[in-house]
Amino acid sequence: KLLREYEDLEGPKNTAEEAHNGTERQLNAVKNKIRSLQSEAGGGNKSLAMFGPKCGPLYELVQRNLRRFKGPVAGPVGMYLKIVNGKEKYAKIAEFAIGNGNLDRFIVTNQDDLNFMEGLRREVGCGHRDCSLYKISPRSTQEK
């Protein structure tokens, strides 16, 4: 009788173990993704990975070449924005207002810098939708 009870419990036990192992694998995958995003962000700083795979490398290339720009360069735009705790539900509205897909955009203030940035984008392998560029008036960067 005990042998039969044991055998009856074997099936549910195996099912529970499989479910547990699947959950463990999912947990490990999430932990690995978090570690990956943190390492891409320089050990826990705001991650550029959320702006696409080319944004981090382009940002690093821009930082290494800052002295070669004639004017200010900023980007990606989304790096300068922070959603206040408790207001996360407004993030999509804010992105829509800024322009959907513009958070990965880099900004320059003159044609020479725009041309230089195009070269950096090519060097990183950006496609036409990756880390777009926007040229604004130099007056836009002056404090009023």
Side-chain angles (χ1 to χ4, degrees):
K1 180 178 175 182
L2 284 176
L3 179 61
R4 202 169 92 163
E5 287 178 10
Y6 173 79
E7 288 171 350
D8 288 346
L9 293 174
E10 192 69 24
K13 175 188 161 262
N14 289 340
T15 302
E17 282 178 349
E18 288 172 16
H20 172 76
N21 291 339
T23 304
E24 285 271 320
R25 283 191 298 276
Q26 288 177 336
L27 177 62
N28 287 333
V30 169
K31 285 179 179 178
N32 288 336
K33 183 65 173 176
I34 289 170
R35 275 194 295 276
S36 169
L37 289 172
Q38 286 174 335
S39 70
E40 286 180 34
N45 295 331
K46 185 166 182 166
S47 177
L48 297 177
M50 69 179 73
F51 303 119
K54 304 291 184 184
C55 224
L58 181 58
Y59 174 79
E60 294 298 325
L61 196 54
V62 166
Q63 294 307 301
R64 286 196 307 268
N65 287 281
L66 278 178
R67 290 191 303 260
R68 296 181 65 187
F69 288 94
K70 295 180 178 180
V73 60
V77 170
M79 187 174 81
Y80 303 101
L81 305 176
K82 182 177 190 260
I83 303 298
V84 177
N85 286 337
K87 302 293 183 180
E88 293 86 357
K89 63 184 176 186
Y90 299 113
K92 264 305 193 201
I93 296 169
E95 184 174 2
F96 183 76
I98 292 167
N100 205 13
N102 288 333
L103 296 180
D104 70 340
R105 182 176 279 184
F106 284 75
I107 299 172
V108 295
T109 58
N110 62 70
Q111 190 62 42
D112 290 337
D113 288 348
L114 185 68
N115 294 339
F116 182 59
M117 277 294 294
E118 285 290 353
L120 295 180
R121 286 180 76 248
R122 280 191 296 278
E123 191 173 327
V124 171
C126 291
H128 69 282
R129 291 187 176 187
D130 298 318
C131 304
S132 60
L133 302 177
Y134 191 68
K135 184 178 86 166
I136 61 172
S137 165
R139 290 189 305 264
S140 301
T141 64
Q142 297 170 352
E143 291 188 33
K144 299 183 183 198

